[in-house]
Amino acid sequence: MRKICSGCRDGIDFDIPFTMAFQPIVDTMTGRPFAYEALIRGLEGEGAYSVLSQVTQANRYSFDQACRVKAIETAMAAGIMDGDARLSINFLPNAVYSPMACIQLTLRTAQAEGLPIDRLIFEFTENEEMGSPEHVGGIIDTYKQIGFSVAIDDFGAGHSGLDRFVRFRPDEVKLDMELVRDIDTDPRRRAIVRAMVGMCAELDTLLIAEGIETAAEAGALRDLGVRYHQGYWYARPALETLPGVQGRA
C-alpha cells in the first residue's frame, strides 16, 4: 500500500500550539540582515524543546508542514517584505515522503502570502537522522530546481560533514557554534575555519558563522573572511518580530 504523506494534505493536523521567533543572519559588509532564521517557540516564548518534545513519528509529517506555513505567515506579518532579507526555514528530511508532492502546501502558502520563492532558504542539520542519502539528495535537487536555496546547519558538528557537503552540494553551510566559540583565542579553530573559507569560496558556497556571542569572535571571523554572521552578539531571537541588528563585527 502506498504511504500517504499526511502533511501533504490541504489540512494540517498538527494540533500542538506553537509560534516562531526570528533571528537575523547579518551581512557584515552591509550591516543589514541577509536572512532571518525562523525558530520554533511556544506561544509564550517557551524554548523549542517545549514543542519538539511532542513531535513523534506519527505527527512528524504534519509538524514539518505546519512549521513551513507558520514561518511564512508569521514572517510576512512581521514585515519581511519591507526589505530584501530572505527567510530561512528548518526542515526534517525524514518528514518528506515525496519532495514534489510535499512541497505543494509551502508553494501555495508562499504564493498566497506574496513571498517570492527565491527568498526561501531551507536548512537541515548535519546531525539530523536522515535515512537514505539518496532520498535526501532527491529532496535537495527538487528544492533547487524549484528555486529555493538549501543550507546545511551545524556544519562541522558531525563526523559526516564533508561527505554530505560533497554529496548534497548545498548553496550555504552554517558553521557549528563549537567552531565559533572563542575562535579569537584558539589557533586550531582559526585554522579550520580559514580552510573552510577557502573551500567554500572555491565551490561557490556561502559560509555562515552562527552562535557568535562576542565582539572578539565576530572580529576574528570577519578577519578570516566569513562575511555572514548570526548570534546573540548581533540580535537575540524575537518572538513574531524581525529584530534589528545590534552588534557590529
Side-chain angles (χ1 to χ4, degrees):
M1 181 178 294
R2 186 176 183 273
K3 183 178 180 182
I4 300 298
C5 172
S6 62
C8 301
R9 298 195 301 264
D10 287 340
I12 300 174
D13 56 4
F14 186 76
D15 57 2
I16 299 167
F18 70 95
T19 189
M20 291 287 173
F22 298 96
Q23 186 178 37
I25 299 169
V26 180
D27 180 345
T28 61
M29 288 189 66
T30 66
R32 298 195 303 269
F34 159 75
Y36 285 94
E37 181 179 0
L39 302 163
I40 298 164
R41 294 291 185 270
L43 293 181
E44 301 300 322
E46 301 93 338
Y49 181 77
S50 66
V51 180
L52 293 174
S53 61
Q54 301 179 71
V55 177
T56 66
Q57 186 62 39
N59 65 18
R60 178 184 290 261
Y61 289 117
S62 54
F63 169 70
D64 184 65
Q65 293 287 309
C67 285
R68 297 163 185 245
V69 171
K70 178 67 74 173
I72 292 170
E73 292 178 344
T74 309
M76 290 297 290
I80 197 166
M81 291 301 292
D82 293 342
D84 57 3
R86 302 181 187 185
L87 175 62
S88 189
I89 302 173
N90 293 277
F91 80 99
L92 302 173
N94 281 345
V96 177
Y97 171 64
S98 166
M100 189 56 74
C102 292
I103 200 62
Q104 295 306 309
L105 180 58
T106 303
L107 292 173
R108 290 197 299 273
T109 303
Q111 182 178 29
E113 293 289 330
L115 179 65
I117 59 174
D118 61 1
R119 288 178 63 167
L120 279 170
I121 303 167
F122 283 95
E123 298 184 24
F124 69 98
T125 179
E126 182 183 326
N127 289 325
E128 170 70 20
E129 181 184 352
M130 58 180 59
S132 165
E134 290 74 19
H135 175 60
V136 178
I139 297 170
I140 292 171
D141 288 344
T142 299
Y143 283 10
K144 287 185 174 185
Q145 290 167 11
I146 290 171
F148 304 138
S149 295
V150 177
I152 296 180
D153 196 10
D154 299 328
F155 187 71
H159 68 279
S160 57
L162 288 176
D163 175 68
R164 291 181 178 176
F165 185 88
V166 171
R167 180 188 293 269
F168 299 138
R169 303 183 302 279
D171 301 293
E172 305 165 11
V173 293
K174 300 181 75 174
L175 286 173
D176 183 68
M177 64 178 62
E178 285 301 314
L179 289 173
V180 169
R181 188 64 58 246
D182 298 322
I183 192 170
D184 52 302
T185 60
D186 190 329
R188 291 181 180 273
R189 283 181 168 85
R190 288 198 300 275
I192 293 170
V193 172
R194 185 181 296 111
M196 294 180 68
V197 168
M199 177 179 68
C200 287
E202 185 172 348
L203 296 174
D204 195 27
T205 303
L206 189 147
L207 182 64
I208 300 167
E210 60 182 349
I212 301 168
E213 295 186 351
T214 68
E217 290 172 350
L221 288 159
R222 179 77 181 270
D223 290 345
L224 287 167
V226 182
R227 174 176 173 177
Y228 298 94
H229 293 192
Q230 181 179 3
Y232 285 180
W233 171 249
Y234 294 96
R236 289 178 176 268
L239 198 67
E240 299 180 351
T241 302
L242 305 177
V245 178
Q246 305 298 320
R248 293 290 186 271

